[in-house]
Amino acid sequence: MTKLILVRHGQTVWNKLGKYQGQADIELSEVGRKQAAMLADNFPIEKVDAIYSSPLVRAKETAEAIGAAFSLPVETCPEFCEISFGKWEGLTYDEIHAQWPKEHDLLFNRPDLLTCPDGEGFSQVQKRAAGKMEALIKENPDKTLVIAAHGGVIRTLLCHALGMPLKNMWRIRQDNTAVNLVTAYNEGLTVELMNSTVHLSDSNLNMNLNTWVKKS
């Protein structure tokens, strides 16, 4: 049985501003770095064999915090990069909706049919990301793997694991540094945990923010 821990990156400044990031390479905010540190300090799995990440810095920083806790390197995989929003990157919800109302409605109502202006569609994202995830499963039997990626990517992977239509991907919530656990056994996938942020609970927050400040 291979275990996959899918982790969304920590908060970025653009997350806070409501800007669409896509493949824009935006760093973690100070809050995001604290979230990543708290996840690393309170990781839900005791043993990890390998860590993979999107090459985008927000995911890689999150992965590196986990890697430091387990003394493991991070291998970047372009297949786990976030969707390219094309012309939408750096714009807010209202700015996008004003210029591309039909396409923007499609993003939320039928994401499986969307192709972003000068960008990608979620069907393309799912094909590349799920293909890489399945390859890692075959290459790492009975191992525990961490994949640090993005909200859109992880939703497509969970849809793939659940056999759920991609059009329903927004029914899956993914908060910053959310943890998801998928197991692979006999060529089947089982989702055991979704969108866990228990590492950000008040008790951990009070304890680990003090630790993080001392380390800074």
Side-chain angles (χ1 to χ4, degrees):
M1 181 173 65
T2 300
K3 291 183 180 180
L4 303 162
I5 301 101
L6 310 180
V7 177
R8 188 187 175 202
H9 61 78
Q11 185 201 81
T12 70
V13 174
W14 279 19
N15 284 149
K16 191 173 181 180
L17 295 175
K19 291 185 176 183
Y20 283 38
Q21 295 178 121
Q23 295 183 6
D25 210 4
I26 310 302
E27 296 180 350
L28 295 180
S29 65
E30 289 302 305
V31 169
R33 292 189 180 97
K34 292 173 187 177
Q35 290 172 333
M38 291 170 68
L39 172 58
D41 288 344
N42 298 278
F43 206 69
I45 303 294
E46 292 184 358
K47 183 179 181 295
V48 171
D49 296 297
I51 301 175
Y52 302 90
S53 174
S54 157
L56 296 177
V57 66
R58 58 191 184 271
K60 192 176 178 186
E61 279 189 272
T62 304
E64 287 171 345
I66 300 167
F70 289 96
S71 299
L72 288 171
V74 174
E75 180 177 335
T76 57
C77 305
E79 295 89 348
F80 296 134
C81 199
E82 182 61 294
I83 186 172
S84 170
F85 278 125
K87 292 181 178 179
W88 294 356
E89 292 183 4
L91 302 180
T92 65
Y93 176 99
D94 290 339
E95 289 169 336
I96 295 168
H97 200 76
Q99 296 184 60
W100 297 275
K102 291 182 180 179
E103 294 88 343
H104 202 222
D105 285 340
L106 203 62
L107 170 64
F108 297 104
N109 298 324
R110 288 301 303 267
D112 55 319
L113 300 180
L114 171 73
T115 299
C116 300
D118 291 345
E120 282 184 296
F122 280 109
S123 295
Q124 293 171 272
V125 174
Q126 186 181 53
K127 183 177 180 179
R128 61 173 162 81
K132 182 62 176 179
M133 182 175 74
E134 293 285 1
L136 290 176
I137 290 169
K138 290 180 180 179
E139 294 165 9
N140 296 278
D142 300 319
K143 298 289 182 69
T144 298
L145 313 177
V146 173
I147 298 173
H150 310 269
V153 173
I154 293 173
R155 286 180 175 94
T156 71
L157 291 175
L158 291 172
C159 284
H160 172 76
L162 290 165
M164 190 171 94
L166 192 58
K167 68 179 181 179
N168 296 330
M169 63 177 283
W170 298 117
R171 296 184 183 182
I172 299 172
R173 184 179 176 92
Q174 285 296 292
D175 294 314
N176 289 121
T177 64
V179 173
N180 308 270
L181 176 59
V182 178
T183 56
Y185 185 72
N186 288 340
E187 299 186 1
L189 299 175
T190 301
V191 178
E192 298 189 11
L193 181 71
M194 285 198 294
N195 199 44
S196 173
T197 55
V198 67
H199 54 279
L200 302 179
S201 65
D202 288 342
S203 58
N204 288 331
L205 182 66
N206 292 333
M207 178 176 66
N208 288 291
L209 282 185
N210 288 333
T211 302
W212 189 89
V213 169
K214 290 177 183 177
K215 290 179 180 178
S216 299

